[in-house]
Amino acid sequence: MLARLQQAITIGLALAAVAWAAYFLRAGRPAWAAGGALLILFGYALFLATEFVLLWFVNRNDTVPRASVAQLIAAWWGEVLTAPRVFCWRQPFRSNAIRDFLPADGDRRGVVLVHGFVCNRGLWNPLMARLRAQRVPFIAVNLEPVFGSMDDYVDIVDAAVRRIESTTHQPPVIVTHSMGGLAVRAWLAAHRADDRVHRVVTIGTPHRGTFLGRFAQTPNSRQMRLDSEWLRELAAREPAQRYGRFTCFYGHCDNIVFPASTATLPGSDNRHIAGCAHVHMAHHEEVFNEVLRRVGSPTAADGTSQASATAAR
């Protein structure tokens, strides 16, 4: 569903830019033609800039050290480059380009990949290519309905864990981005599944909500409001020792989850990634190294995995 929606948006924007440019070129106004087409195609960069301005102000009172202006600008530019690759290419057109990898002769611990809000499994293409090059079994899910409650995703996560357990006969490492971390926490709470997971790695997950949640309209995004009732109820169902199974990556340049400290959990291995925005953080080298360490890989990366990741983009 999401892939088709993002295909329509991507193609629609391209056609709108072409139509705008053609109309004003015929009218003999090339500056209007170029300016309007560029605004249609790259207006998202202005939207991203607004998010970075908001996080700059909101993070003023947070316990995490504030990012410098230079770090924010660099993170904004990184997200400007990352966003179209994810939302206009990998997710709409390449979400099934890399299939789940479950080798029959594998003896490695597996990985379950759980994406976030308005994403699908295509988000993970670079990581999946690198895991496959290292012969690490993995399954990447699609969380649907796209705009449903996060409680709707519990069975999807459970099915993926069962499937990889049946192949590897080991509890998997679960790697999550953004909302996906909350879906996994909901699964753990619903199934009391602590013994069925080796490690949970969350990347930019709004464990205590996010400032942007106040603008939310869909059930799952409303659940991500700061200190929402859903988040409070979830935390009340969780034993304190569960958080010791988590590695939480967070950042002071995360333009979606802020204040920055809301992406941490008490008692977990909380790791700050400086100068990196929300989507870009999912492909940070430190994240990949942590995943390989948890599955027992002897190396963090090699030439083959790097080349595969490049090809997946």
Side-chain angles (χ1 to χ4, degrees), residues 222-241:
R222 288 196 297 268
Q223 289 168 331
M224 291 185 281
R225 289 174 176 168
L226 286 172
D227 198 32
S228 71
E229 181 181 357
W230 187 86
L231 287 172
R232 292 197 305 271
E233 291 177 353
L234 175 62
R237 295 158 59 198
E238 297 174 309
Q241 66 271 21

Side-chain angles (χ1 to χ4, degrees), residues 3 13 38 45 61 66 88 98 110 131 140 142 169 171 178 196 205 207 240 281:
L13 286 173
L38 288 173
N61 299 319
R66 293 180 75 190
C88 299
I98 301 177
L131 290 174
N142 284 320
H169 309 292
S178 196
R196 294 176 57 200
T205 289
H207 289 296
M281 198 184 303

Side-chain angles (χ1 to χ4, degrees), residues 93-202:
F93 300 106
R94 301 283 292 170
S95 62
N96 294 313
I98 301 177
R99 300 290 184 177
D100 294 339
F101 181 59
L102 297 171
D105 59 346
D107 58 357
R108 300 284 299 281
R109 187 182 302 279
V111 174
V112 175
L113 300 165
V114 185
H115 62 77
F117 185 62
V118 293
C119 288
N120 64 23
R121 69 189 304 280
L123 168 77
W124 301 111
N125 280 3
L127 180 56
M128 289 191 288
R130 298 181 75 177
L131 290 174
R132 190 181 185 103
Q134 296 273 354
R135 294 198 60 77
V136 176
F138 63 81
I139 291 173
V141 304
N142 284 320
L143 298 180
E144 294 183 346
V146 175
F147 301 115
S149 166
M150 280 186 277
D151 295 312
D152 297 334
Y153 306 144
V154 167
D155 289 343
I156 296 173
V157 175
D158 190 64
V161 172
R162 288 185 183 279
R163 186 172 160 221
I164 207 160
E165 282 175 329
S166 67
T167 300
T168 66
H169 309 292
Q170 300 181 67
V173 173
I174 303 182
V175 181
T176 74
H177 181 247
S178 196
M179 181 192 72
L182 297 178
V184 169
R185 283 176 58 192
W187 166 72
L188 284 167
H191 288 268
R192 299 180 181 178
D194 299 72
D195 293 337
R196 294 176 57 200
V197 61
H198 179 66
R199 193 74 181 174
V200 180
V201 177
T202 69

Side-chain angles (χ1 to χ4, degrees), residues 208-226:
R208 299 197 304 279
T210 174
F211 176 88
L212 292 182
R214 66 185 58 201
F215 307 113
Q217 299 299 320
T218 65
N220 46 6
S221 60
R222 288 196 297 268
Q223 289 168 331
M224 291 185 281
R225 289 174 176 168
L226 286 172

Side-chain angles (χ1 to χ4, degrees), residues 259-274:
S261 63
T262 59
T264 66
L265 284 171
S268 70
D269 181 6
N270 295 309
R271 301 193 190 180
H272 183 254
I273 297 180

